[in-house]
């Protein structure tokens, strides 16, 4: 997939995947976060996005987040063998890599 068509009221906007830093899911709505600091609702679940997007560029870190490598500003160790990420253009300060995905996430980072 190279772009998403986003509906904003009466308008349609195209959002290139290359401008997307992360996807998050909250209350059954999925949002795409962009380089410009804006987030837009997309018509796909994280499960669907995981199948559509390049796994070299995007990684599913938890049930709530899928991130691109470009989104990661800082990685810190967190309790119970988890990692806490500081993401670009993301207001959520508690972005955690799930315990089950930490090892695979480190391998993804280190490719």
């Amino acid at each position: 997939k190279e772009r998403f068509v986003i509906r904003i009221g009466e308008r349609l906007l195209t959002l290139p995947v290359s401008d997307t830093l992360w996807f998050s899911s909250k209350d059954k709505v999925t949002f795409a976060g962009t380089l410009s600091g804006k987030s837009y609702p997309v018509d796909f679940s994280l499960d669907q996005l995981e199948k559509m997007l390049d796994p070299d560029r995007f990684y599913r870190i938890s049930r709530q987040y899928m991130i691109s490598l470009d989104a990661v500003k800082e990685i810190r160790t967190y309790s119970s063998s988890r990692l806490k990420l500081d993401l670009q253009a993301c207001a959520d300060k508690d972005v955690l890599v799930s315990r089950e995905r930490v090892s695979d996430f480190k391998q993804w980072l280190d490719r």
Side-chain angles (χ1 to χ4, degrees):
K1 189 147 184 81
E2 293 182 22
R3 72 188 62 79
F4 294 96
V5 176
I6 311 288
R7 179 183 297 269
I8 301 175
E10 300 281 323
R11 299 180 348 206
L12 294 177
L13 167 80
T14 58
L15 175 63
V17 171
S18 61
D19 290 349
T20 307
L21 294 173
W22 50 263
F23 295 93
S24 71
S25 182
K26 186 172 183 170
D27 299 326
K28 299 186 181 184
V29 178
T30 304
F31 295 92
T34 65
L35 293 167
S36 64
K38 295 182 180 178
S39 65
Y40 300 98
V42 293
D43 293 331
F44 302 100
S45 69
L46 289 180
D47 288 337
Q48 292 170 317
L49 290 169
E50 201 170 6
K51 293 172 186 160
M52 286 182 209
L53 298 171
D54 180 3
D56 289 336
R57 180 160 156 67
F58 287 93
Y59 186 80
R60 177 95 178 257
I61 61 168
S62 67
R63 283 183 284 151
Q64 293 84 22
Y65 276 93
M66 178 179 288
I67 65 165
S68 77
L69 189 57
D70 299 335
V72 180
K73 284 198 302 191
E74 185 175 34
I75 303 171
R76 286 180 250 131
T77 56
Y78 195 71
S79 67
S80 302
S81 307
R82 293 192 297 182
L83 299 173
K84 186 173 184 176
L85 306 181
D86 185 12
L87 301 180
Q88 289 189 58
C90 182
D92 191 352
K93 297 300 176 195
D94 288 324
V95 178
L96 302 174
V97 179
S98 69
R99 203 174 291 116
E100 300 80 25
R101 296 178 188 249
V102 167
S103 178
D104 288 340
F105 176 68
K106 287 179 180 177
Q107 287 179 354
W108 179 75
L109 286 174
D110 195 33
R111 62 186 150 78

